[in-house]
């Protein structure tokens, strides 16, 4: 009974320690609730398990999410996001999202994006992600899905194949004179990926492979869509540098939040380095046995001690 009572005290102390740690970080409260079994307010009612695919890493102003047949709901930092979500930023607002593979999007004001699909498994071969930038401006840092699987970004005019890189997609309001643009920039480590551009019928229109290169999507011969290369003006390039700096900061914040997110999900959702001990034992409650000493069963006589013939006194 004493041993059992001591074990209970350890568990209570551990729970108190965890609760106190989360209380010090208000941004993690929604995550803590999900880790303890409570679903966030905007989680689908049919989701018995945590099937979220990312979370809000940063936000200024206001933004909303439309999920299924539910009405638009306000978002806040650390809210979870799910496949099929429609995210919308308001005027003078921005929104940063980091997904489970560390891919990060930063949405400007008046931007609407749809998460068509997202599948990521560490070490898996079927990873895929599909996003639809319906309107506005979205910058992104593509991460593990783009490197190990298939990542696409759709616009009203074209589909982009993302091959592990950093970029900016601008979709002007319908009816305007401005053309949609696609820009490729180097990653933070200097690596330059690749953005392939296809029309809605799947025909290749070209590929961006050089840092600070861009396409404008304009009507070509016969009215067909064409990806026209252009030199990014100095004023626009300076604006993009500020955009990428904010994107990089959101990416850093999102990665740190992702670590907390994985911890709060529990061992069942962790990688191979967080496995339970073999046999289902709890190492904290496993009986500790002295090394190299046989265990004596109840009623069994003590084993005879071996004499030390070197130190035994002479008779």
């Amino acid at each position: 009974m004493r041993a059992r009572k001591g074990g209970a005290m350890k568990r209570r102390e551990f729970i108190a320690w965890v609760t106190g740690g989360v209380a010090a970080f208000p941004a993690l409260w929604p995550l803590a609730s999900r880790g303890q079994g409570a679903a966030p307010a905007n989680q689908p009612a049919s989701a018995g398990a945590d099937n979220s695919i990312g979370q809000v890493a940063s936000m200024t102003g206001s933004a909303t999410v439309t999920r299924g047949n539910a009405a638009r709901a306000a978002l806040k930092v650390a809210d979870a996001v799910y496949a099929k979500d429609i995210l919308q930023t308001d005027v003078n607002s921005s929104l940063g999202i980091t997904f489970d593979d560390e891919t990060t999007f930063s949405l400007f004001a008046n931007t609407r994006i749809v998460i068509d699909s997202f599948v990521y498994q560490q070490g898996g071969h079927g990873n895929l992600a599909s996003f639809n930038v319906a309107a506005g401006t979205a910058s992104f840092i593509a991460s593990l899905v783009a490197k190990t699987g298939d990542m696409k970004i759709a616009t009203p005019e074209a589909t982009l194949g993302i091959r592990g890189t950093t970029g900016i997609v601008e979709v002007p309001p319908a009816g305007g004179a401005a053309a949609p643009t696609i820009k490729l920039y180097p990653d933070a480590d200097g690596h330059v990926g690749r953005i392939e551009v296809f029309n809605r019928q799947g025909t290749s229109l070209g590929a961006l492979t050089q840092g600070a290169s861009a396409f404008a999507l304009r009507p070509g011969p016969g009215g067909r869509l064409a990806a026209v290369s252009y030199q990014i003006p100095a004023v626009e390039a300076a604006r993009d540098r500020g955009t990428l700096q904010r994107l990089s900061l959101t990416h850093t914040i999102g990665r740190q939040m992702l670590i907390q997110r994985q911890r709060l999900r529990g061992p069942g959702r962790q990688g191979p380095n967080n496995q339970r001990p073999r046999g289902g034992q709890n190492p904290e409650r496993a009986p500790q046995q002295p090394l190299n000493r046989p265990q004596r069963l109840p009623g069994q006589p003590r084993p005879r001690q071996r004499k030390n013939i070197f130190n035994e006194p002479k008779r």
Side-chain angles (χ1 to χ4, degrees):
M1 292 296 292
R2 183 175 300 175
R4 183 176 300 177
K5 183 177 180 181
M9 289 295 294
K10 288 184 179 180
R11 288 195 296 274
R12 287 198 294 268
E13 291 169 0
F14 175 77
I15 294 172
W17 178 80
V18 171
T19 305
V22 173
F25 298 95
L28 298 179
W29 290 348
L31 296 177
S33 298
R34 183 166 66 248
Q36 295 170 2
N42 61 354
Q43 181 172 336
S46 60
D50 181 5
N51 58 352
S52 59
I53 58 176
Q55 66 186 128
V56 177
S58 65
M59 185 170 63
T60 60
S62 57
T64 60
V65 58
T66 303
R67 185 167 295 144
N69 296 324
R72 291 173 59 182
L75 284 170
K76 62 182 181 298
V77 171
D79 273 354
V81 296
Y82 300 83
K84 307 301 181 183
D85 277 359
I86 303 174
L87 308 176
Q88 173 78 52
T89 55
D90 294 334
V91 63
N92 298 324
S93 302
S94 64
L95 178 68
I97 303 291
T98 298
F99 294 89
D100 285 351
D101 72 324
E102 299 183 0
T103 290
T104 299
F105 273 80
S106 182
L107 311 182
F108 278 51
N110 301 317
T111 296
R112 184 170 73 257
I113 185 172
V114 182
I115 307 171
D116 288 330
S117 60
F118 185 93
V119 176
Y120 171 68
Q121 182 178 7
Q122 185 176 4
H125 300 286
N127 296 329
L128 61 89
S130 179
F131 309 93
N132 190 327
V133 181
T137 300
S139 58
F140 62 89
I141 296 175
S143 193
L144 299 178
V145 166
K147 296 174 182 177
T148 63
D150 184 22
M151 176 176 170
K152 290 183 172 64
I153 298 177
T155 71
E157 294 83 9
T159 300
L160 316 179
I162 310 301
R163 306 295 177 250
T165 192
T166 298
I168 301 176
V169 177
E170 300 181 24
V171 178
T181 59
I182 304 156
K183 301 173 187 176
L184 170 65
Y185 282 101
D187 293 332
D189 60 1
H191 172 265
V192 178
R194 179 183 179 93
I195 298 179
E196 300 173 350
V197 184
F198 304 87
N199 64 16
R200 303 299 286 181
Q201 291 72 41
T203 303
S204 176
L205 303 179
L208 297 174
T209 58
Q210 301 294 324
S213 59
F215 279 149
L217 301 180
R218 301 182 183 276
R224 298 177 180 175
L225 185 69
V228 181
S229 299
Y230 76 96
Q231 185 69 33
I232 302 174
V235 175
E236 193 172 328
R239 184 191 66 189
D240 289 348
R241 283 194 293 271
T243 297
L244 297 178
Q245 288 175 356
R246 290 191 296 272
L247 173 64
S248 178
L249 178 59
T250 297
H251 185 58
T252 300
I253 295 172
R255 292 177 65 187
Q256 294 298 321
M257 295 175 69
L258 179 59
I259 295 173
Q260 292 291 334
R261 170 184 169 82
Q262 291 172 339
R263 289 174 178 170
L264 291 170
R265 275 177 158 177
R269 298 295 298 273
Q270 296 290 328
N273 293 328
N274 189 12
Q275 298 177 350
R276 295 181 178 179
R278 294 181 179 179
Q281 291 183 349
N282 185 339
E284 196 172 281
R285 301 188 63 182
Q288 301 296 322
Q289 297 294 341
L291 296 178
N292 301 325
R293 181 177 296 179
Q295 185 177 8
R296 184 170 60 90
L297 299 177
Q300 182 179 3
R302 294 180 179 274
R304 298 181 59 184
Q305 299 291 331
R306 295 182 60 186
K307 295 182 179 181
N308 189 337
I309 60 176
F310 298 99
N311 295 329
E312 184 179 1
K314 294 181 180 180
R315 295 180 180 177

